[in-house]
Amino acid sequence: MDIDPEILFRALGDTTRQRCLVLLQQEGELCVCELTHALDAAQPKISRHLAHLREAGLVSDRREGLWIHYRLNPALPEWVRTVLRATAEGVAGHPPFASDKAALSRMPDRPFSRDWA
Amino acid sequence: MDIDPEILFRALGDTTRQRCLVLLQQEGELCVCELTHALDAAQPKISRHLAHLREAGLVSDRREGLWIHYRLNPALPEWVRTVLRATAEGVAGHPPFASDKAALSRMPDRPFSRDWA
DNA sequence: ACAATATATATCAAGTACCATATATTTTCG
DNA sequence: CGAAAATATATGGTACTTGATATATATTGT
């Protein structure tokens, strides 16, 4: 799989998309309503940014009933994974990324249990 | 030193700036005319993109006579260095990055000798 | 002080990106 | 089939980005 670096970094160049990617990296798989809640953002906004990430090849999606689960695209080249990992580690402690994770874990009635160490 | 990830990735989201950063990473330090030659681009275009990188905190500059040498900002946080290194390694073999390096080494009358293994 | 060279900045037009709101689509359940 | 829930897309407005061209600034040597 090949990723155009211009498309990659333009996709990374928006805070909303960064926050989604960092959460996906930390949580593995999330549906739109979880991201919407974690970021406290309007649903169409999240949906459109996820579409952007999907078109850039960064995430893949999987439907399960009403829900659509997003995850990092498993076919990403290693250097892109390194970029995403370094970024997630670099920003994890700073706002708004730290509170996103907290908000997600506080979400009531999460549609799926995602128990993985 | 702190780098805002949105500013970082927007700076990386342009092919011209990527090419400059990859060359700077490979060569250590380059003046504007070298970058202009390597990318075969107009001088004001290179100058403006370098200004963008400087304002984003990614590069620093040093004047020596008529020339201004640019280099990666030595104060970059480690995660940003990792991002830049992974990117440079990931794209080095692909166009236009590969030919940029070749064009630079073919440049006649390069203003400085930069001998470092 | 003047000319030449390297680099920087200004301007304008064209394209692009983002947000908020409204609306459409898809799936499940009764 | 109709309603409800989750997600996706469309629209319009505003703001940012980019490139090309022209011009300005800074430094050196004569």
Side-chain angles (χ1 to χ4, degrees):
Chain A
M1 160 156 210
D2 251 21
I3 292 267
D4 178 299
E6 182 157 14
I7 289 177
L8 164 66
F9 289 118
R10 280 184 194 272
L12 290 175
D14 175 275
T15 303
T16 301
R17 291 192 292 271
Q18 288 167 17
R19 293 164 76 186
C20 290
L21 286 171
V22 168
L23 277 177
L24 288 174
Q25 192 138 26
Q26 292 169 339
E27 304 288 324
E29 199 177 46
L30 293 170
C31 65
V32 179
C33 62
E34 288 174 309
L35 289 164
T36 300
H37 183 277
L39 305 205
D40 190 27
Q43 175 268 322
K45 177 171 172 174
I46 298 295
S47 221
R48 191 167 32 76
H49 283 295
L50 287 171
H52 189 141
L53 292 172
R54 187 180 348 105
E55 285 153 20
L58 295 181
V59 302
S60 60
D61 62 317
R62 163 179 82 84
R63 181 181 275 279
E64 181 176 355
L66 286 175
W67 296 270
I68 300 190
H69 303 269
Y70 283 86
R71 70 172 77 195
L72 292 188
N73 182 348
L76 286 176
E78 190 53 34
W79 74 270
V80 176
R81 294 208 155 267
T82 301
V83 166
L84 295 178
R85 198 182 325 116
T87 302
E89 288 167 7
V91 306
H94 299 264
F97 303 96
S99 50
D100 287 343
K101 188 168 184 177
L104 176 61
S105 66
R106 269 188 265 104
M107 177 177 178
D109 302 316
R110 273 177 80 174
F112 300 87
S113 60
R114 309 177 181 284
D115 295 335
W116 58 344
Chain B
M1 156 154 216
D2 251 20
I3 291 267
D4 178 296
E6 184 157 14
I7 289 176
L8 164 66
F9 289 118
R10 279 185 195 272
L12 291 174
D14 175 276
T15 302
T16 301
R17 291 192 291 271
Q18 288 168 17
R19 293 164 77 185
C20 290
L21 287 172
V22 168
L23 277 177
L24 289 174
Q25 192 137 31
Q26 292 168 340
E27 305 287 324
E29 200 177 46
L30 293 170
C31 64
V32 180
C33 62
E34 289 174 308
L35 289 164
T36 300
H37 184 278
L39 305 206
D40 189 28
Q43 175 267 322
K45 177 171 171 175
I46 298 295
S47 222
R48 191 165 35 75
H49 282 295
L50 287 171
H52 188 141
L53 291 172
R54 184 178 353 102
E55 285 152 20
L58 295 181
V59 302
S60 60
D61 62 317
R62 164 179 81 84
R63 180 181 276 279
E64 180 176 357
L66 287 175
W67 296 269
I68 300 190
H69 304 270
Y70 284 87
R71 71 172 77 196
L72 293 187
N73 183 347
L76 286 176
E78 190 53 34
W79 74 271
V80 176
R81 295 207 153 266
T82 301
V83 166
L84 295 179
R85 196 182 327 115
T87 302
E89 288 168 6
V91 305
H94 299 264
F97 302 96
S99 50
D100 286 344
K101 187 167 184 178
L104 176 60
S105 65
R106 269 187 265 105
M107 178 177 179
D109 303 314
R110 273 177 80 174
F112 299 88
S113 59
R114 308 176 182 284
D115 296 334
W116 57 346

